[in-house]
Amino acid sequence: MNKLPDPDMPVAEGHDQWFRKQVADAVREADNPGTEWVSHDTILQDIADQRAALQARLKGHAG
């Protein structure tokens, strides 16, 4: 799925092919009716929850 470019290919050409495949895969996934979308607000809340949990863990080990 996320294969790296062929190491024998010139770097720019290999990266271009890899990048174009990544974009095509992403567009195909976005167009799939079965794709589950997550709202920006949900992501922000998840990040805040993870940060709070990590800070609590760090505070517990600071002593």
Side-chain angles (χ1 to χ4, degrees), residues 13 16 29 31:
E13 182 182 340
D16 185 64
E29 183 178 1
D31 286 344

Side-chain angles (χ1 to χ4, degrees), residues 7-50:
D8 296 327
M9 189 178 300
V11 173
E13 182 182 340
H15 181 269
D16 185 64
Q17 286 182 6
W18 172 82
F19 181 79
R20 289 176 184 273
K21 182 177 181 328
Q22 297 303 302
V23 171
D25 290 349
V27 169
R28 196 170 19 263
E29 183 178 1
D31 286 344
N32 182 339
T35 296
E36 293 184 32
W37 295 93
V38 180
S39 75
H40 183 70
D41 291 338
T42 299
I43 297 298
L44 290 178
Q45 185 60 57
D46 183 54
I47 292 169
D49 293 346
Q50 289 182 46

